[in-house]
Amino acid sequence: MTTFSLLMIALIGILILLLMIIKFKIHPFVALLIVSLFVAISTGIPLDNVVKVVTDGLGGVLGSVAIIIGLGAMLGQLIEKSGGAENLAITTGKSLGAKKTIAALTIAGFILGIPVFFDVGFIILAPIIYGFAKVAKISPLKYGLPIAGVMLTVHVALPPHPGPVAAAGILHADVGLLTLIGFAICIPVAIIGYYIAKYINRKNYHLSVEVLEQLQLAKDEPNKENIVYTDRANPPKPATVIAMILVPILIIMLGTVSSTLLEKGDPIRTLFTFIGSPIIALLIALILAVYFLALRRNWTMQHTNNIIGDAIPAAAVVIMITGAGGVFGKVLVESGVGKALSDALAMIDMPIIVAAFIISLVLRASQGSATVAILTTGGLLSEAVIGLNGTQLVLVTLACCFGGLGLSHVNDSGFWIVTRYLGLSVSDGLKTWTVLTTLLGLLGFLFIGLIWMII
């Protein structure tokens, strides 16, 4: 089959995928499986081999990401239910003073966004945003916009979140090195993004009646989210919460650094590499969290298990979608579409790093899900990255991730979460949230490009 034919089939498949998700509201997992089968059959993969390709693609991705996503979700659940997330945000705000609470909550959002999914983390902080906004008598958008921006940045670029972890698996990028470089990029992007959000917030946007009423009545009639639950009484100290978040990150970094500095075969390197694998690092962090956030606070083991178990359903949905994205990527490789795209990129001389960002950005704008955009782009480029070194593979992976950050709009569930909680109209949401996410994505890609030129 010709290169043109393969690329056209892939394009038609992606268009069908977008149509199914956007127009007919079909679940991404089902849509990805159907399109994967369509592309597999249309490109000539033998029928008796199609199912094997599908299961290999699913198993290949889930083998590397399912445990990471599951453990990350459990760790985030313990931090949330213990009241640690709220206490971290409130204490950080108090320590920096009333005038610096926006920066304080943004810092808390950055830290919280590492183990907790974006939508969950933002919803956790929403009552705190309302509380500070009411006291300061300003729009909750002043707090919420920068917080949401930095949390989404972390969500798309850093493990243990599914997009970067799965893309790293598809493109064979080292997760530890991805974490190191991802942090180095996310920190300046978050800082600059804070000031961009501050600039956007110079204008006073109209809030919904529901949000205005909630702010006015919060003192006398607190909503359900402001009730202090028993589990959150005497919450863990902010230092404990930060430690629980940083422990797996530091362990992963230790494994990466040791594998770089020590000789192969060195028993210390072998030990640190084992401990520094994301699965072991997150498992250690979870065990520590069970003790410090639960058992030490007099939770029973049964209650702790129930809390951890509550994280599994939400994580399962993400895992299944991630696995279906892996299926699509495997089909694109087995059918020859990946090699065809690689050849096409070579013909038009587009740098692979630019292609990764643009393709992911287009897919993100088209169907809404950052994770689906990142995974699909990774699958399309899996053949094109052959021959790149470890650092280059990480940078291409991050280019896919930051492409998936931009252009969040009405087909993105995150768009509706942010605009609903902050009381924005659709048009104002496009002027604020969509603009902010796009600029953050471009900033991330700019830093990636600078590193790419240096190496």
Side-chain angles (χ1 to χ4, degrees):
M1 189 170 287
T2 65
T3 297
F4 178 77
S5 299
L6 288 171
L7 292 178
M8 285 304 298
I9 291 173
L11 177 60
I12 293 171
I14 292 173
L15 291 175
I16 293 173
L17 174 66
L18 301 178
L19 186 65
M20 292 173 71
I21 295 174
I22 298 171
K23 178 68 175 177
F24 298 106
K25 311 300 181 185
I26 296 175
H27 195 279
F29 175 74
V30 177
L32 280 164
L33 282 183
I34 292 174
V35 170
S36 297
L37 292 172
F38 165 77
V39 173
I41 295 171
S42 300
T43 53
I45 295 179
L47 287 178
D48 57 358
N49 195 41
V50 169
V51 174
K52 183 179 184 302
V53 171
V54 169
T55 54
D56 286 349
L58 186 71
V61 172
L62 293 188
S64 61
V65 305
I67 300 176
I68 295 175
I69 295 173
L71 291 174
M74 291 175 184
L75 177 61
Q77 183 82 347
L78 280 175
I79 292 173
E80 175 195 352
K81 295 300 183 182
S82 67
E86 294 181 17
N87 195 34
L88 172 63
I90 293 172
T91 305
T92 305
K94 290 180 179 178
S95 65
L96 293 182
K99 293 183 179 180
K100 298 180 180 178
T101 52
I102 297 177
L105 289 182
T106 303
I107 294 171
F110 184 95
I111 297 171
L112 179 64
I114 296 171
V116 180
F117 289 166
F118 165 71
D119 52 353
V120 175
F122 186 75
I123 291 171
I124 291 170
L125 291 180
I128 304 170
I129 291 171
Y130 278 111
F132 278 113
K134 180 173 176 57
V135 171
K137 297 181 179 179
I138 61 176
S139 167
L141 187 65
K142 308 288 185 181
Y143 292 94
L145 189 62
I147 290 172
V150 300
M151 292 187 76
L152 186 60
T153 300
V154 171
H155 180 86
V156 302
L158 292 181
H161 293 295
V165 171
I170 293 171
L171 297 174
H172 306 290
D174 181 78
V175 174
L177 188 58
L178 174 70
T179 304
L180 285 171
I181 297 178
F183 256 113
I185 294 173
C186 282
I187 290 174
V189 168
I191 293 172
I192 298 172
Y194 166 79
Y195 287 101
I196 293 174
K198 189 175 181 180
Y199 179 83
I200 293 174
N201 271 326
R202 293 188 310 163
K203 178 182 177 181
N204 290 319
Y205 297 90
H206 295 291
L207 303 181
S208 66
V209 174
E210 292 79 10
V211 167
L212 289 174
E213 289 178 346
Q214 192 167 359
L215 289 172
Q216 292 168 354
L217 299 177
K219 181 176 180 180
D220 301 319
E221 298 179 18
N223 61 39
K224 185 177 179 181
E225 291 176 329
N226 288 329
I227 297 173
V228 178
Y229 295 96
T230 303
D231 284 345
R232 299 185 181 184
N234 188 27
K237 296 179 180 179
T240 304
V241 177
I242 293 173
M244 295 301 100
I245 295 171
L246 292 182
V247 161
I249 297 168
L250 294 176
I251 293 175
I252 291 172
M253 289 181 177
L254 178 64
T256 301
V257 171
S258 64
S259 65
T260 302
L261 298 180
L262 300 178
E263 294 291 333
K264 190 174 183 179
D266 188 311
I268 297 178
R269 169 179 169 167
T270 302
L271 175 63
F272 284 171
T273 301
F274 168 73
I275 296 175
S277 64
I279 292 174
I280 303 301
L282 278 168
L283 183 59
I284 292 172
L286 181 62
I287 292 171
L288 292 174
V290 166
Y291 175 72
F292 286 104
L293 303 184
L295 302 183
R296 197 176 179 185
R297 298 175 59 245
N298 298 320
W299 286 12
T300 66
M301 198 63 212
Q302 179 62 48
H303 182 63
T304 303
N305 287 334
N306 291 339
I307 295 293
I308 292 175
D310 289 341
I312 294 176
V317 174
V318 177
I319 289 170
M320 294 304 290
I321 295 175
T322 303
V327 172
F328 192 37
K330 181 71 172 179
V331 167
L332 292 173
V333 171
E334 292 294 325
S335 64
V337 171
K339 187 176 186 306
L341 179 62
S342 176
D343 294 340
L345 291 174
M347 289 177 61
I348 64 176
D349 202 28
M350 177 183 286
I352 184 68
I353 199 78
V354 176
F357 178 77
I358 291 177
I359 293 172
S360 183
L361 183 65
V362 170
L363 288 171
R364 162 70 150 155
S366 301
Q367 51 79 41
S369 170
T371 301
V372 171
I374 294 167
L375 288 173
T376 304
T377 305
L380 286 168
L381 298 179
S382 57
E383 293 284 337
V385 299
I386 294 176
L388 298 182
N389 62 40
T391 304
Q392 290 173 329
L393 287 173
V394 167
L395 292 175
V396 171
T397 303
L398 286 170
C400 296
C401 294
F402 278 98
L405 173 59
L407 294 175
S408 169
H409 61 96
V410 293
N411 60 0
D412 174 25
S413 60
F415 175 88
W416 295 107
I417 289 174
V418 172
T419 55
R420 184 187 66 179
Y421 274 92
L422 299 181
L424 293 171
S425 65
V426 173
S427 61
D428 284 343
L430 294 172
K431 295 173 186 175
T432 55
W433 178 241
T434 303
V435 170
L436 178 62
T437 58
T438 304
L439 291 176
L440 290 173
L442 289 170
L443 275 172
F445 179 65
L446 175 62
F447 286 114
I448 292 167
L450 290 174
I451 298 174
W452 182 273
M453 288 188 291
I454 293 173
I455 64 170

